[in-house]
Amino acid sequence: MESLRFKAINDLSTQSNGHAAASRTKITGIFGENVFTLKTAREYLSDEAYKSLVASVKGGKKLDRAVANQIAAGMRQWAEGKGVTHYSHWFQPLTGTTAEKHDSFFTLKGDGSAIETFDGDGLIQQEPDASSFPNGGIRATFEARGYTAWDPSSPAFIMEIGEGKTLCIPTIFVSYTGATLDYKAPLLKSVEALNKAAVDVCNYFDKNVTKVNVTLGWEQEYFVIDEAMFNGRPDLVMSGRTVFGHAPAKGQQLEDHYFGSIPERIYAFMRDFEEESYKLGIPLRTRHNEVAPAQFECAPIFEEVSVAVDHNTLLMDIMDRVARRHKLRVLMHEKPFAGINGSGKHNNWSMATDTGVNLLAPGKTPKTNLMFLTFFVNTIKAVHDYADTLRASIASAGNDHRLGANEAPPAIISVFIGQFLAKVLEDVKERVGDKFDEQDEAILKLDLHRSIPELLLDNTDRNRTSPFAFTGNKFEFRAVGSTANCANPMTTLNSIMAETLKNFKSEVDALIEKGEKKEIAIMHVIREYIVSSEKVLFEGDGYSEEWHHEAARRGLPNIPTTPLALDAMVTEKAKHLFESNNVLTHVELEARHEIELEKYIKRVQIEARIMGELCTSHILPAAIKYQNILINNIKGLKDIGLAEESFANQKQILVKISEHINKVSDLVEKMIEARKIANNITNTRTKAIAYQSQVKDTFFDAIRYHVDKLELLVADQYWALPKYREMLFLR
């Protein structure tokens, strides 16, 4: 029987490369051509419908249902002009992927005649099954009704799948009772909460500010391997990562892949998925080789956070489909291969006013610098106060493998701001006393004017080991995993920032009521926030053992595993945070906690099952096959009368192979029993902890150790699975 390994190598060497010619058209010539933008809407809608849509998109006003039919008719006319026959409500359930149900424009009239139609009801609302998606117990099987509702802030688009085209309408997803069952609805609520709190604080400095938008620029890391190699690894197919595999002699130690010349097949794939992305309005700007072999990255221009989230989830779908056309597979898993870097999704977050000011960029006057300092310090305070909640927002089974593994930030949430700004904060902390006089106020304003504007975009060094780093005019949340939906960490970040700004305004207003000048009151509260949150600031090496000890001394949480990290979702502090900002109710939080625990259990369960299957059906048969070869070799040499020392080495290898075969077989049986015991636990949190400690931590590394030894001992031609080096370097 041909092993998976040699079949994969044979398929790789005989298949076509799957290159597709990308368009030579300028990006500006195709950008957004498959998006129902406001510019496009102007061509297809009446003045009344267009104004209503603009008010909804830009002003956040509820769409006038009376004109929904006009908007739907305009969308259909535009879409049919591009060959579209179906439409779908496109949403982001708590599965981690997107969902869609396609309906045709075709229908029959009462007299039996066929027509094409799309009305306002179909645009605004649909009813997918709410019990078939993860819901954390909110919906039972017999309570199936749920609703998708149009989100006008994110434009409709046309998805091309092969020869078919579908009009996709971005929506939120809620249950019949109104509970949110997706990532998008809480994100939109958190944006509104932050907008309100930020505008109130901005008005201290500029009364013209009426809206604050949250901006996001994500950086998507991913691996690409040949499809034949992917199909040759059942663990990659089933779990997204290799649960076994000896590291190649040459991995990433020469550091020759990062920013290197992009391989030709990958370059063709990149150009192809970029072209599809541009048509859908995704403003991709950057592409390059990442650190690990076969690892790459792409990144767009900043957008408003809700649109950026949609574009990232859409891009991951596009990349997967385009890769298959090129006979490649994209691996989004945070750690698909042991021994080399994993993948993250850095979330670059900031806030911008409707007057054109980036609130995390220093200004040119004392007043704008004080505004920058206000939002800068409030962000640090928010991260300090809600570090555990922020950690929970990026917790997953895949990210547990990556965090702190000398390639990604540790599980300890800290903030890096650079030496320059650290000195500014230290000066503010030391300068501000209990009472100001006029001279102090003048000096303070002068210092703010003189020093902070010197901060250029690249004035601070970069710290790749920091989970939350200031990078000139934004904060980079580096701890987010590559498979994550950006909405989850962004919802948390927006919410903690909204809560902190509300508290800040309350404290400043209280001082003003006592007779303090506004600027002095602001500086007093800023100083208090600096003092109370400075322990979360860290400029050093996050990988070092010393930092772990120092973080413990400071009292910073360090929760490396998902089951325990998720506890922060359902604390009284978290419940107050999300409910008081109208983002998530207690019931919704409890449900999401349950869902995330279930995800963890199922991920580990799948990995345990595939690990047992690979051992039983692939690895042990290959080892036993070589074991028999050695037995026959020893027997033959002995039969022809050779001395025992002539086959002593073979006997030694045979003994070791036999030992490891027995160990692997024994450990797999024990792991199966441990999994059965864990499955009988009814409490989801306890079950997740059991899967982590009694299944994953107890058996995975132990089984992997003996399989690694077998791979070294068994002759290469008998090994069962494609190896790392073949997957990473064969093009």
Side-chain angles (χ1 to χ4, degrees), residues 26-44:
K26 284 185 177 181
I27 294 171
T28 51
I30 61 173
F31 186 76
E33 69 175 32
N34 284 343
V35 183
F36 193 72
T37 61
L38 289 179
K39 182 180 178 181
T40 303
R42 176 69 281 184
E43 299 177 33
Y44 288 89

Side-chain angles (χ1 to χ4, degrees), residues 62-79:
K62 191 172 182 179
L63 186 71
D64 185 353
R65 204 175 181 101
V67 299
N69 284 331
Q70 296 181 45
I71 296 173
M75 275 191 189
R76 178 175 67 84
Q77 183 184 357
W78 167 73

Side-chain angles (χ1 to χ4, degrees), residues 53-350:
L53 180 60
V54 170
S56 181
V57 172
K58 294 189 174 181
K61 295 182 179 179
K62 191 172 182 179
L63 186 71
D64 185 353
R65 204 175 181 101
V67 299
N69 284 331
Q70 296 181 45
I71 296 173
M75 275 191 189
R76 178 175 67 84
Q77 183 184 357
W78 167 73
E80 286 183 333
K82 290 179 172 288
V84 173
T85 59
H86 288 65
Y87 72 95
S88 172
H89 276 201
W90 181 84
F91 58 103
Q92 300 167 40
L94 298 173
T95 55
T97 59
T98 58
E100 55 202 56
K101 175 174 72 75
H102 298 204
D103 288 314
S104 69
F105 294 138
F106 163 83
T107 191
L108 294 175
K109 295 178 70 176
D111 61 3
S113 59
I115 61 168
E116 305 282 342
T117 185
F118 180 46
D119 60 23
D121 288 340
L123 169 64
I124 290 176
Q125 185 174 303
Q126 280 190 333
E127 293 188 22
D129 187 341
S131 66
S132 298
F133 291 100
N135 60 71
I138 290 178
R139 298 267 83 191
T141 302
F142 65 90
E143 299 172 314
R145 181 162 299 198
Y147 300 108
T148 50
W150 180 32
D151 169 24
S153 69
S154 190
F157 57 89
I158 295 171
M159 177 69 80
E160 298 183 22
I161 304 175
E163 298 298 318
K165 296 181 179 181
T166 300
L167 173 65
C168 293
I169 301 156
T171 62
I172 62 170
F173 179 40
V174 299
S175 74
Y176 177 71
T177 59
T180 58
L181 297 174
D182 69 341
Y183 288 109
K184 189 71 177 293
L187 175 68
L188 295 175
K189 292 179 179 181
S190 74
V191 169
E192 182 53 36
L194 180 52
N195 168 51
K196 186 178 185 307
V199 167
D200 287 345
V201 174
C202 281
N203 288 161
Y204 282 140
F205 311 98
D206 185 354
K207 295 293 185 182
N208 294 316
V209 174
T210 60
K211 187 177 181 182
V212 171
N213 296 312
V214 182
T215 60
L216 170 64
W218 41 262
E219 303 168 33
Q220 181 69 60
E221 295 177 339
Y222 59 96
F223 283 82
V224 182
I225 64 171
D226 190 271
E227 187 174 58
M229 288 296 169
F230 176 84
N231 292 334
R233 292 292 307 223
D235 46 358
L236 270 182
V237 173
M238 295 295 175
S239 71
R241 76 181 185 106
T242 54
V243 296
F244 295 124
H246 195 72
K250 182 182 183 296
Q252 65 185 52
Q253 63 266 50
L254 296 181
E255 300 175 330
D256 54 352
H257 187 68
Y258 190 52
F259 279 20
S261 176
I262 299 173
E264 185 178 350
R265 283 184 71 189
I266 306 302
Y267 184 63
F269 157 66
M270 286 178 169
R271 292 180 62 202
D272 205 354
F273 84 69
E274 284 173 352
E275 180 171 319
E276 287 208 20
S277 299
Y278 292 140
K279 290 178 181 178
L280 292 168
I282 304 173
L284 292 177
R285 183 73 181 271
T286 301
R287 62 163 100 105
H288 63 81
N289 288 7
E290 253 301 330
V291 172
Q295 187 186 33
F296 307 91
E297 180 181 301
C298 64
I301 299 168
F302 278 61
E303 299 178 280
E304 288 191 22
V305 65
S306 64
V307 177
V309 166
D310 283 0
H311 281 167
N312 180 249
T313 54
L314 186 56
L315 175 83
M316 290 193 286
D317 182 49
I318 292 169
M319 290 171 71
D320 180 70
R321 288 190 292 103
V322 172
R324 292 168 191 259
R325 293 208 298 259
H326 288 256
K327 298 187 185 295
L328 299 167
R329 288 301 178 98
V330 172
L331 307 180
M332 291 290 184
H333 194 287
E334 283 79 9
K335 190 77 169 177
F337 306 109
I340 60 176
N341 276 19
S343 295
K345 184 182 300 186
H346 306 159
N347 280 210
N348 295 280
W349 171 89
S350 191

